[in-house]
């Protein structure tokens, strides 16, 4: 399971919306480098925003791929908007909600809400919207340049199948 | 819808999609040359136009696809007469005067101006 930045799909409304979560753990090595301590400051383990964007891209990408039965090679083409207002720290959960805005033969546009869920000592965890990430996906085989790619769908690899199956979603593609 | 109103909406879309200043979006500005649009931006702009104006844009309707890569329509770096005819049929919103004067392939992108985009939307809205 390499380069997977979502842990579980918690809701999938085909061709419409998908919700996925990512648990942030201090065991993740990159958090120790982002940011390490300095002579004047303690370490600040914060989930890198670029990886939050990747998490949303995986959430929205699976939603867009699922819409056509994973026949299309769905690639992230453009980050139209990415705004995160708060740091996401270990022990918290990121919840990505991706919604398809437009879908055509050439690709799709999605809008996405990022929430940060903080555990509390008692009762319900606290959820807060911390940002928005809007994306454009391209169906690679429909590219304007007419470039041909291998037939095999190398985008939706075994890792994505495993993610879907462990989330209780059929992945027979 | 008035042409000036269409222009204003397109200006807003291009500022958002291409991260340019609104004074850069003039009628004469070329999308690919002056405003720095890449192929994927054309898809983004199509999505935004569909949302704003409520019409559907088919693939290749806004900007010609495949023609300039096809040896049937390009010879020695120049668009052939047959290619030019096909372009006129596929993308009638372009102003072909410059391309007819010099049919070099790179000039296809040069005639994709903001004005052509306004004409495209005007024609789509009239047809609706």
């Amino acid at each position: 399971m390499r380069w997977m930045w979502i842990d579980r799909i918690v809701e999938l409304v085909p061709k419409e919306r998908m919700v996925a979560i990512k648990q942030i753990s201090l065991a993740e090595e990159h958090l120790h480098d982002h940011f390490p301590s300095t002579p004047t400051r303690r370490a600040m383990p914060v989930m890198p925003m670029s990886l939050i964007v990747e998490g949303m891209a995986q959430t929205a990408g699976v939603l867009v791929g699922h819409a056509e039965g994973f026949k299309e090679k769905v690639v992230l083409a453009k980050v139209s908007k990415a705004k995160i207002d708060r740091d996401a720290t270990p022990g918290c959960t990121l919840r990505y909600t991706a919604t398809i805005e437009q879908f055509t033969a050439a690709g799709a546009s999605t809008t996405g809400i990022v929430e940060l869920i903080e555990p509390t000592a008692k009762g319900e965890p606290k959820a807060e919207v911390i940002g928005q990430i809007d994306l454009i996906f391209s169906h690679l085989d429909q590219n304007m340049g007419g470039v041909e790619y291998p037939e095999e769908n190398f985008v939706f690899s075994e890792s994505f199948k495993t993610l879907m199956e462990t989330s209780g979603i059929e992945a027979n593609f | 819808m008035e042409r000036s109103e269409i222009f204003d909406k397109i200006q807003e879309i291009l500022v958002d999609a291409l991260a340019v200043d609104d004074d850069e979006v003039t009628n004469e500005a070329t999308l690919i040359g002056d405003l720095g649009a890449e192929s994927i931006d054309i898809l983004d702009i199509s999505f935004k136009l569909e949302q704003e104006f409520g019409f559907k844009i088919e693939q290749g309707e806004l900007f010609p696809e495949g023609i300039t890569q096809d040896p049937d329509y390009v010879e020695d770096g120049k668009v052939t007469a047959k290619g030019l005819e096909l372009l006129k049929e596929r993308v009638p919103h372009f102003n072909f005067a410059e391309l007819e004067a010099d049919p070099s392939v790179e000039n296809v992108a040069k005639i994709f101006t903001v004005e052509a985009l306004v004409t495209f939307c005007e024609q789509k809205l009239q047809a609706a």
Side-chain angles (χ1 to χ4, degrees), chain A residues 2 7 19 26 33 36 46 56 59 72 75 78 80 90 103 108 120-121 127-128 133 137 157:
Chain A
R2 294 183 66 190
D7 294 330
V19 185
L26 199 50
D33 297 321
V46 171
M56 179 61 82
T59 306
E72 295 287 353
V75 292
K78 184 171 175 177
S80 306
F103 192 97
T120 55
E128 183 192 342
I133 300 171
F137 291 90
S157 57

Side-chain angles (χ1 to χ4, degrees), chain A residues 17-134:
Chain A
R17 185 177 73 247
M18 192 170 114
V19 185
I21 56 164
K22 154 78 186 152
Q23 313 279 16
I24 306 169
S25 166
L26 199 50
E28 292 170 70
E29 214 165 305
H30 62 96
L31 291 183
H32 297 266
D33 297 321
H34 191 272
F35 299 92
S37 61
T38 69
T40 55
R41 193 199 63 209
R42 282 173 201 240
M44 283 172 42
V46 171
M47 176 84 174
M49 188 175 163
S50 52
L51 294 180
I52 297 180
V53 173
E54 177 63 25
M56 179 61 82
Q58 292 184 359
T59 306
V62 169
L63 172 66
V64 172
H66 186 269
E68 293 286 316
F70 296 101
K71 288 187 184 73
E72 295 287 353
K73 300 178 186 84
V74 177
V75 292
L76 176 62
K78 184 171 175 177
V79 179
S80 306
K81 178 180 182 177
K83 190 174 182 291
I84 302 286
D85 297 326
R86 249 194 79 180
D87 286 341
T89 50
C92 294
T93 301
L94 284 164
R95 181 161 60 201
Y96 301 111
T97 302
T99 307
I100 290 180
E101 284 220 307
Q102 272 165 302
F103 192 97
T104 68
S109 65
T110 61
T111 186
I113 296 296
V114 183
E115 290 168 280
L116 187 70
I117 303 169
E118 282 182 277
T120 55
K122 281 183 185 175
E124 287 290 302
K126 200 171 75 180
E128 183 192 342
V129 174
I130 62 161
Q132 185 176 343
I133 300 171
D134 298 340

